[in-house]
Amino acid sequence: MGHSSRGTENLLGAHQCRNAALALAAAQSFLESPIDTAAVHDALGAVHLDGRAEVLRTAEPVIIVDGAHNHAGARALRGTLDEYFPTPRRAFW
């Protein structure tokens, strides 16, 4: 899917951006050196998390699957849906 101004489109949600930033900081700390920005963009562009705000269909009705299994995951999913798919009408199964 690629990159957007909000991060990578294949990692939807502010929580995924925070997770990626934390992983990058940990890697740079471990390596004791910065990681090339282009390498970071390439790596994040290649990441795909099945079942995490995964868009299966972009045509109406949009179909998204997410394996949120606890309160924090459900909150993160709600925030992602509100940010990327704002609509007053949603159906959940």
Side-chain angles (χ1 to χ4, degrees):
M1 292 174 107
H3 303 286
S4 74
S5 61
R6 295 181 283 201
T8 60
E9 293 176 12
N10 50 345
L11 293 176
L12 298 182
H15 64 292
Q16 295 294 9
C17 292
R18 287 189 302 271
N19 291 345
L22 180 60
L24 176 60
Q28 291 180 140
S29 177
F30 177 77
L31 296 171
E32 297 180 345
S33 87
I35 298 174
D36 179 67
T37 302
V40 171
H41 282 257
D42 289 345
L44 290 176
V47 172
H48 181 79
L49 298 174
D50 292 336
R52 291 296 188 191
E54 182 179 0
V55 180
L56 298 181
R57 177 179 160 160
T58 57
E60 292 294 329
V62 174
I63 298 175
I64 302 157
V65 296
D66 191 282
H69 59 280
N70 58 35
H71 189 70
R75 270 197 324 264
L77 173 59
R78 172 64 188 266
T80 298
L81 293 175
D82 289 347
E83 180 180 357
Y84 288 88
F85 306 98
T87 180
R89 203 177 100 183
R90 294 184 179 135
F92 295 90
W93 286 273

